[in-house]
Amino acid sequence: TIGYGVPDPYMKGCWQAPIVLTAQLLLQVMMTGCLIGVIFQGISRPQARACTIIFSENAVIRCIDGVHYLIFRVCDLRTRHSLIEAHVRCYCLRRHPTRGYEPVPM
């Protein structure tokens, strides 16, 4: 331990020692945070999760109460750790002859 608030008889009035101890403590906290971040990033692996979600090959456009809806199915292949509160964003792109692909307002 560092021993906060306890006078150290070995330093004998050296003012540089507490500065070095503080710098070492801050460096160690930052290194520990980075190490925990790297380990968590390696465990979570969102790319592997993307391979277990599949979409239907066919979609349906249906008119309900005068409003058109695009309907398709999404399936999660994992049975042990299913998705909770999943959000899906769909974008409609149109190819323009001169500007290329552009989003279509919905």
Side-chain angles (χ1 to χ4, degrees):
T1 63
I2 295 177
Y4 293 110
V6 178
D8 190 5
Y10 299 107
M11 291 187 200
K12 297 187 185 346
C14 178
W15 61 270
Q16 293 95 347
I19 294 173
V20 170
L21 284 175
T22 303
Q24 185 269 335
L25 175 69
L26 292 174
L27 183 65
Q28 183 177 1
V29 167
M30 288 191 310
M31 288 174 54
T32 303
C34 289
L35 182 64
I36 289 173
V38 166
I39 290 172
F40 180 75
Q41 186 270 337
I43 290 173
S44 62
R45 296 207 186 252
Q47 292 84 10
R49 182 66 177 174
C51 295
T52 63
I53 299 173
I54 57 173
F55 295 90
S56 61
E57 293 187 17
N58 300 320
V60 176
I61 297 176
R62 183 172 178 195
C63 184
I64 302 173
D65 294 330
V67 179
H68 290 85
Y69 292 93
L70 174 67
I71 302 171
F72 58 92
R73 290 186 181 185
V74 178
C75 180
D76 184 11
L77 297 177
R78 289 188 183 183
T79 56
R80 289 181 42 201
H81 304 289
S82 61
L83 292 175
I84 298 173
E85 217 177 303
H87 299 276
V88 177
R89 286 191 193 141
C90 297
Y91 297 98
C92 183
L93 298 176
R94 177 180 64 178
R95 184 174 182 180
H96 192 272
T98 58
R99 293 189 298 253
Y101 290 100
E102 60 184 7
V104 176
M106 301 185 126

